[in-house]
Amino acid sequence: MSLPLPQTVKGGTALERLANLGLELPVLAANAYYVDHNRVGDSIHIAGQLPFKAGVLLGQGVVGRDVDLETAKELARHAALNCLAAVVQAVGDLDRVRVVQMLVFVASPPDFGLQSKVAEGASELLIEVLGENGRHARTAIGVAGLPLNTPVEIQMVCTTAS
């Protein structure tokens, strides 16, 4: 068994660590058909987030055919950033959040087999920003296609940290 990935980004708060990574939480566009988060008690269910930045989808295609692994990891990282933005909408403060579970959908051919490597981009961001509260259970699955032909979509379940 390997040792857990250390949290190495400096900063006293999650927002400071985001800034030290050169990132900021985006403003998520509203949708008439669903909400980006739904809170049930201490649980926060985050709707599937795509790798949008300023209203622009950062990539399209199938991982392992149109999109290389490193690009897919970056897209997963950005989709996770959008999930964090949805959590802040629900809770107001990243330092009050613990990620419980992350589900990563990867548009990929049947023989790709590296969906978990794509998901690592998102997992790394969560640990860099939230430390131990970013460690999570995770499922990464390959699918035939995703909305808007995006390579990656991420859904999360979080809770308020105690």
Side-chain angles (χ1 to χ4, degrees):
M1 183 171 160
S2 62
L3 295 174
L5 181 69
Q7 196 248 351
T8 58
V9 178
K10 302 294 183 217
T13 68
L15 286 178
E16 287 173 1
R17 290 186 290 276
L18 266 177
N20 288 338
L21 288 167
L23 299 171
E24 61 183 44
L25 290 176
V27 175
L28 301 178
N31 189 301
Y33 299 100
Y34 66 90
V35 294
D36 287 312
H37 62 84
N38 201 346
R39 194 163 179 178
V40 180
D42 287 339
S43 294
I44 305 122
H45 297 259
I46 305 301
Q49 297 294 317
L50 306 182
F52 275 106
K53 182 176 184 179
V56 176
L57 187 62
L58 297 177
Q60 290 185 306
V62 175
V63 180
R65 185 179 73 203
D66 311 313
V67 177
D68 65 54
L69 179 61
E70 288 307 311
T71 300
K73 286 177 74 170
E74 282 301 314
L75 294 171
R77 189 173 173 88
H78 202 83
L81 181 65
N82 291 339
C83 287
L84 292 178
V87 170
V88 168
Q89 285 179 350
V91 177
D93 181 6
L94 277 180
D95 293 313
R96 296 182 50 220
V97 172
R98 170 176 283 156
V99 180
V100 176
Q101 182 180 32
M102 181 171 65
L103 179 57
V104 181
F105 299 95
V106 180
S108 53
D111 62 346
F112 179 64
L114 296 175
Q115 290 84 0
S116 64
K117 293 292 184 189
V118 173
E120 285 175 4
S123 293
E124 289 169 359
L125 177 72
L126 296 175
I127 293 166
E128 288 169 337
V129 174
L130 301 175
E132 286 303 310
N133 284 339
R135 293 194 195 281
H136 52 275
R138 183 182 82 191
T139 302
I141 60 171
V143 296
L146 290 167
L148 304 176
N149 195 29
T150 186
V152 180
E153 181 174 6
I154 297 180
Q155 176 183 343
M156 280 186 197
V157 177
C158 302
T159 188
T160 51
S162 40

